[in-house]
Amino acid sequence: MDRPAALPPALPDPRGFDPVCFPGAARLGEWPPPRFDFAAAVLREPGLRFERDAAGSIAVVRRFDHIRLVTDIDRAHLLFDILPGSRDFMLLRLVPAALRFMETVSPQDPMPAPLRDEDPPLPEEHHIYAATTALVEAMSATAQEDAMALCDAIRRVPPGAEMFEQAVARCITQDLLPLERVAPLARRLQRLANAHAGALAAAAAQPEYRSMESMVHLTHRVLGDDRRWANDLLTLALGALGPVIDRPRIAADLVVREADASLRRPGALQNLTRLIARQRMLRDRLTDLALFWNRTATAWLAVHPETTDRREIEALTRNTLRRLSLAALYAPA
């Protein structure tokens, strides 16, 4: 029997995790705060931002003089002369967690909703409808009376944000099922539908992988056909890139298929809490893929093999190869 893969071990809570305890540290008040409101002047300079570089490290970008520093975020307080255990120190510790939900972090940026225990914004309605349709199809295979009645009621109400509430009302008024039996099931199923809709929305946000792949192959072919560059290191690097450039697209496709298959496995709906966690984990995997590849894929679409400066193609090729070397990003879900 096809069994769902085990969930990865839980990571420490990034909001309060600190491997070193500093005695006498003052209480931080509301935590995490609504914004990255650093107090130190060096962390409030216009143009400063944090982002992930190609290797996954935290890059500190300064706009003036085109300065770009790459630092270990655990030692960034030394770079900025931030007192360990202070509020700015703890805010710096939140930067890597925030970069899972946004491409860059700048002073005064809002804190991502998941880090504040806030419900993330619901996906667009067509994703919710698609997720609900898939869930109803999966529920149809069960033999439980409550689930079947709720499934039938969902089919009979108009799609929308209030679909589950209307389905519960229909079960109570027309099928005469007790509220205490139907309502808890409907709430859990609605959470599952929203989680699956989040995965579908993350899948829809993936960059144009196939267009990037086509441009990589075209660039390699154009440079290889030119005698001056036929055996150049850049041409050889593009040749090595060609067979593996489809890795992010294949990884994203596998995650999307797993998100759908996990709903349909026999007995999967018996443990809705575990299934919701699984869908959210798959959504995060897709979000990571999109964050790592959006800029690179867009840059490849701007390449013209015959006119783009070779140094730009070389830098882009090196960047792409480094992103493809992050094995954990493409591991099976």
Side-chain angles (χ1 to χ4, degrees):
M1 180 184 294
D2 187 13
R3 297 181 180 272
L7 289 172
L11 294 174
D13 185 347
R15 292 162 298 176
F17 173 69
D18 188 348
V20 180
C21 178
F22 296 97
R27 294 185 62 83
L28 298 172
E30 181 187 8
W31 197 257
R35 297 183 175 276
F36 281 94
D37 50 350
F38 296 104
V42 69
L43 290 173
R44 291 188 284 109
E45 293 182 356
L48 182 142
R49 70 178 186 272
F50 299 90
E51 63 182 35
R52 291 280 184 184
D53 70 359
S57 302
I58 303 294
V60 184
V61 182
R62 303 281 288 277
R63 184 178 299 170
F64 59 89
D65 294 336
H66 307 288
I67 295 177
R68 180 185 182 91
L69 305 174
V70 180
T71 183
D72 179 358
I73 195 64
D74 290 332
R75 298 177 62 81
H77 61 286
L78 300 177
L79 173 68
F80 296 114
D81 195 24
I82 302 300
L83 181 66
S86 65
R87 190 175 186 277
D88 280 351
F89 177 89
M90 297 301 292
L91 272 177
L92 283 173
R93 293 296 182 93
L94 286 176
V95 168
L99 288 175
R100 288 183 56 84
F101 305 98
M102 50 206 300
E103 287 195 5
T104 64
V105 171
S106 299
Q108 296 302 322
D109 275 356
M111 190 70 62
L115 296 187
R116 288 177 54 82
D117 278 341
E118 297 174 354
D119 292 332
L122 290 177
E124 296 179 11
E125 189 168 297
H126 64 276
H127 291 308
I128 296 178
Y129 181 67
T132 304
T133 301
L135 181 56
V136 167
E137 292 176 358
M139 288 169 57
S140 299
T142 70
Q144 296 182 3
E145 178 186 358
D146 297 347
M148 294 301 295
L150 185 59
C151 179
D152 183 65
I154 290 173
R155 287 195 181 101
R156 296 174 183 274
V157 299
E162 299 179 353
M163 181 185 300
F164 281 87
E165 289 83 352
Q166 294 178 14
V168 169
R170 185 182 180 90
C171 288
I172 295 171
T173 58
Q174 297 192 19
D175 298 329
L176 303 180
L177 293 175
L179 175 64
E180 60 272 13
R181 286 172 53 189
V182 180
L185 174 62
R187 282 196 296 269
R188 294 197 302 272
L189 290 175
Q190 186 170 26
R191 289 174 55 211
L192 176 56
N194 290 342
H196 187 56
L200 296 180
Q206 295 299 301
E208 291 288 339
Y209 292 125
R210 289 190 182 275
S211 298
M212 175 181 69
E213 295 166 24
S214 298
M215 185 52 66
V216 168
H217 293 306
L218 177 60
T219 304
H220 177 237
R221 184 167 65 251
V222 169
L223 294 183
D225 289 343
D226 189 328
R227 289 185 178 181
R228 296 173 300 169
W229 311 115
N231 295 312
D232 182 73
L233 288 178
L234 175 56
T235 307
L236 296 176
L238 284 167
L241 187 59
V244 295
I245 190 60
D246 60 355
R247 185 176 295 169
R249 173 175 57 82
I250 292 174
D253 289 346
L254 289 174
V255 175
V256 173
R257 286 201 290 270
E258 171 61 19
D260 182 68
S262 63
L263 290 178
R264 305 175 188 275
R265 290 194 177 97
L269 295 177
Q270 303 303 316
N271 191 338
L272 292 179
T273 301
R274 179 183 177 87
L275 192 52
I276 292 167
R278 178 70 172 166
Q279 291 291 323
R280 288 174 176 170
M281 186 271 287
L282 296 172
R283 175 203 61 196
D284 291 344
R285 289 290 306 275
L286 289 167
T287 301
D288 288 343
L289 281 166
L291 286 175
F292 267 91
W293 283 101
N294 266 326
R295 291 184 178 183
T296 303
T298 302
W300 274 111
L301 298 185
V303 167
H304 190 290
E306 296 178 353
T307 61
T308 302
D309 192 299
R310 283 177 50 81
R311 290 171 297 183
E312 295 181 11
I313 298 177
E314 179 181 354
L316 186 54
T317 301
R318 186 182 303 114
N319 180 292
T320 306
L321 286 169
R322 293 181 69 186
R323 289 172 188 269
L324 287 170
S325 68
L326 300 173
L329 193 59
Y330 317 105

